[in-house]
Amino acid sequence: MNKSIKLKNLKLTALNHAVYIFGVITIIVFSSLSEHFLTSTNWITILRNSTLMLSIGIGLTFALIVGELDLSVGANCRFAASVSALLMVNHGWNPYLCMILMPLLGGFIGLINGLLVTRVKLNAWLVTLSMKLALVGIVVKLTNTVAINMPQEVLNFRNIKIFGLSSFIVFILAVMILMQILLRYSTFGRKLVAVGSNYSAAEKLGINVKNYKLAAFIISGFFAGLGGMLISVNLGSITRELGDGYEFTAVSAVVLGGVSLAGGEGSVFPKAFAGVLILTVIENGLTMMGADIYLFQIAKALIIFVMMYIDSIKNKM
């Protein structure tokens, strides 16, 4: 009996740490294939390239923890960045004000999604998918699919270094730690987890489930807009490809990190962060090897499948 309990605990520990084992194996493989992979320059590039997906992943983690999925995050990122960029470039709005406007616009879209799901009681997948299509249409109409170059005031942020890293990398890492503290140690965070773990039990405990789910959608939208702000600084322009498929990459990343699609389980750090970082490492490593870009899409699909399978095994144990 004791042997079987020990074996079960061992299996559960292995499954819980599968992402870290996979991450170490991935790093070993790519470092053996390229001498440039483990250089500090390459790892700074990996961190820089992960900032957008980390921002979206932080917000998506909150939505998944309450048992919902926001499929509009990619389009929301593009919408918030495009509208704010147009206000800067075409209408002369203050660039710093417009930078702040990006996450606020994202949060507003999240509010609409949340109200439709929690008050009108529509299916979250259909609501956010419809929102995605609507936002893409609005952006195409506003921009005519023409790239928008950011003003110099925005580009100047790229030149600010903190501990040798770009300011926006340090910024999103600091925000990530703050959001993990909020999720893990605050009453708000614990109630979010309770809502995702058991909807009915949370209601019986007096938790206003609708309000907490609404808050999760607002947070998801806010961080999608924040991702738009970070990519504006990083790339210096808003292109027509911005946001395309980001929701699926973000889902792949956070699920890879161990955030459960069933709700009630997950963390911003280390889980979502580890997932985003590993996915960025895979993309970086494949690029170094000169692999076909579509190979990364196949890798993402396999990752989602395997991690969902692992998640289902954990839930049955």
Side-chain angles (χ1 to χ4, degrees):
M1 186 70 175
N2 286 336
K3 254 187 198 179
S4 103
I5 292 172
K6 283 180 181 178
L7 185 61
K8 184 178 178 180
N9 289 337
L10 187 63
K11 284 180 180 178
L12 192 58
T13 302
L15 290 172
N16 285 331
H17 293 84
V19 60
Y20 309 113
I21 297 167
F22 177 66
V24 170
I25 292 170
T26 302
I27 291 170
I28 291 171
V29 169
F30 285 129
S31 60
S32 66
L33 292 172
S34 172
E35 60 182 13
H36 303 294
F37 181 76
L38 286 178
T39 61
S40 59
T41 303
N42 187 52
W43 277 89
I44 289 173
T45 300
I46 288 170
L47 280 175
R48 186 174 66 245
N49 291 343
S50 68
T51 52
L52 167 63
M53 208 49 61
L54 180 56
S55 180
I56 294 176
I58 290 169
L60 201 54
T61 297
F62 278 78
L64 287 172
I65 279 175
V66 297
E68 302 291 357
L69 181 59
D70 186 353
L71 294 174
S72 69
V73 287
N76 195 355
C77 169
R78 182 180 175 187
F79 169 78
S82 297
V83 170
S84 299
L86 285 172
L87 290 173
M88 282 187 236
V89 176
N90 293 353
H91 300 281
W93 281 38
N94 184 291
Y96 303 113
L97 175 64
C98 290
M99 294 285 282
I100 296 169
L101 184 62
M102 290 183 194
L104 295 179
L105 277 173
F108 177 70
I109 298 299
L111 172 64
I112 296 173
N113 285 335
L115 289 173
L116 290 172
V117 172
T118 61
R119 267 54 178 186
V120 186
K121 297 183 180 178
L122 299 177
N123 181 277
W125 287 51
L126 294 178
V127 166
T128 56
L129 181 59
S130 300
M131 181 62 77
K132 171 189 173 177
L133 297 173
L135 293 176
V136 169
I138 292 169
V139 171
V140 169
K141 177 66 177 175
L142 290 174
T143 64
N144 292 317
T145 67
V146 176
I148 309 166
N149 294 319
M150 304 303 287
Q152 189 59 45
E153 290 92 336
V154 174
L155 301 183
N156 287 339
F157 282 105
R158 288 190 296 189
N159 302 324
I160 301 173
K161 302 287 183 182
I162 303 173
F163 306 120
L165 297 173
S166 296
S167 57
F168 59 89
I169 296 176
V170 177
F171 170 74
I172 193 60
L173 291 176
V175 170
M176 173 191 71
I177 297 300
L178 288 173
M179 294 309 290
Q180 174 57 24
I181 291 170
L182 175 69
L183 184 60
R184 179 73 184 273
Y185 298 105
S186 72
T187 303
F188 172 75
R190 288 192 289 270
K191 286 184 177 180
L192 282 176
V193 174
V195 168
S197 298
N198 193 317
Y199 184 98
S200 301
E203 280 191 323
K204 287 176 183 177
L205 289 170
I207 297 172
N208 191 323
V209 172
K210 289 181 180 179
N211 283 350
Y212 279 91
K213 287 202 171 194
L214 177 61
F217 275 107
I218 293 171
I219 291 169
S220 179
F222 180 88
F223 277 95
L226 185 65
M229 184 185 83
L230 294 172
I231 200 70
S232 301
V233 175
N234 192 8
L235 295 182
S237 65
I238 308 298
T239 63
R240 63 182 180 180
E241 293 85 13
L242 178 65
D244 189 22
Y246 285 7
E247 57 280 351
F248 300 112
T249 304
V251 169
S252 305
V254 296
V255 169
L256 170 62
V259 179
S260 177
L261 286 170
E265 183 185 349
S267 65
V268 173
F269 181 85
K271 289 189 173 181
F273 174 67
V276 169
L277 195 61
I278 290 170
L279 214 58
T280 310
V281 164
I282 292 171
E283 186 174 20
N284 177 271
L286 290 174
T287 303
M288 277 193 163
M289 291 167 55
D292 194 310
I293 190 171
Y294 296 108
L295 192 60
F296 180 58
Q297 304 301 324
I298 296 170
K300 280 195 297 184
L302 289 172
I303 286 166
I304 291 177
F305 175 77
V306 172
M307 294 312 296
M308 283 181 68
Y309 179 65
I310 290 173
D311 191 43
S312 69
I313 293 174
K314 284 196 296 182
N315 290 333
K316 289 175 184 175
M317 291 182 75

